[in-house]
Amino acid sequence: MAAPTAPARVRVAGIGDLPALLPLVESAYRGDASRAGWTTEADLLDGQRTDVDMLRGHLVQTHGVVLVLGERGAPTGCCHVARRPDGRCRLGLFAVDPARQGGGAGGRLLAAGEAYVRERWAATALEMTVLVQRTELLAWYARKGYAPTGEREPFPYDDERFGRPRRDDLEFVVLRKPLG
């Protein structure tokens, strides 16, 4: 009988993680690769989800970090957590390798993001935005304790750095979870 493998750890990413993170994020959100998982934006958006410059900005900013699940060079997932000027904390860039979705990696990563903002910044809540059309993802976040705030944010239609919309009704819903 083989010895069980230790679960991958969650760590703060550095600039050296950039080459492995960009394809992870792209594969989790866009194109045919994203269809290997249980959730995708491939039917909503074409083009990129992020680019090298935007991802680098997340990696070097002083008010946020990118957390990575997995070993250097072979990440299973990542997310960005940031403290906004108004004191609220946000989670974004949440990506799990499509081949590993449904196995608990996303839940571990989400819990690590929540713990990070609670422990480092004394956050009492964590917010995120999700496209309102991604009902399966909204349901997953609801099971994790996130609820709609009633706020909506527009999709940046005029900025192809975030993708090329395939429809004209994209909008983000703001979700929040108390971290008490």
Side-chain angles (χ1 to χ4, degrees):
M1 176 180 229
T5 58
R9 66 185 182 100
V10 177
R11 61 182 174 77
V12 174
I15 200 71
D17 291 298
L18 183 59
L21 289 177
L22 188 59
L24 168 70
V25 172
E26 292 301 311
S27 72
Y29 282 89
R30 306 283 163 77
D32 287 336
S34 69
R35 295 182 193 283
W38 63 266
T39 182
T40 179
E41 290 181 350
D43 295 324
L44 302 173
L45 294 145
D46 291 321
Q48 69 183 31
R49 165 58 176 83
T50 191
D51 61 29
V52 171
D53 291 335
M54 289 190 297
L55 191 51
R56 182 181 294 113
H58 289 316
L59 291 169
V60 300
Q61 69 183 189
T62 58
H63 60 278
V65 298
V66 175
L67 299 175
V68 176
L69 176 65
E71 301 307 316
R72 293 199 188 278
T76 301
C78 70
C79 68
H80 175 248
V81 290
R83 185 174 45 193
R84 295 173 28 158
D86 62 8
R88 293 189 289 176
C89 290
R90 277 272 175 118
L91 180 135
L93 203 69
F94 192 85
V96 174
D97 178 344
R100 304 245 177 128
Q101 291 177 10
R108 287 191 58 231
L109 187 57
L110 186 60
E114 293 167 0
Y116 189 93
V117 301
R118 190 173 43 247
E119 295 165 10
R120 301 286 177 140
W121 300 322
T124 58
L126 186 58
E127 294 180 349
M128 70 179 72
T129 58
V130 177
L131 287 170
V132 70
Q133 290 83 2
R134 297 193 65 193
T135 55
E136 75 290 339
L137 189 56
L138 289 167
W140 186 80
Y141 283 122
R143 291 190 299 275
K144 301 295 184 187
Y146 288 83
T149 65
E151 299 169 73
R152 299 282 178 114
E153 295 181 7
F155 183 84
Y157 279 96
D158 58 343
D159 192 344
E160 283 195 15
R161 294 179 310 154
F162 299 100
R164 293 185 312 278
R166 299 180 80 181
R167 43 194 295 176
D168 63 3
D169 62 344
L170 298 178
E171 183 178 40
F172 293 104
V173 60
V174 179
L175 304 177
R176 181 181 298 130
K177 178 180 180 177
L179 299 176

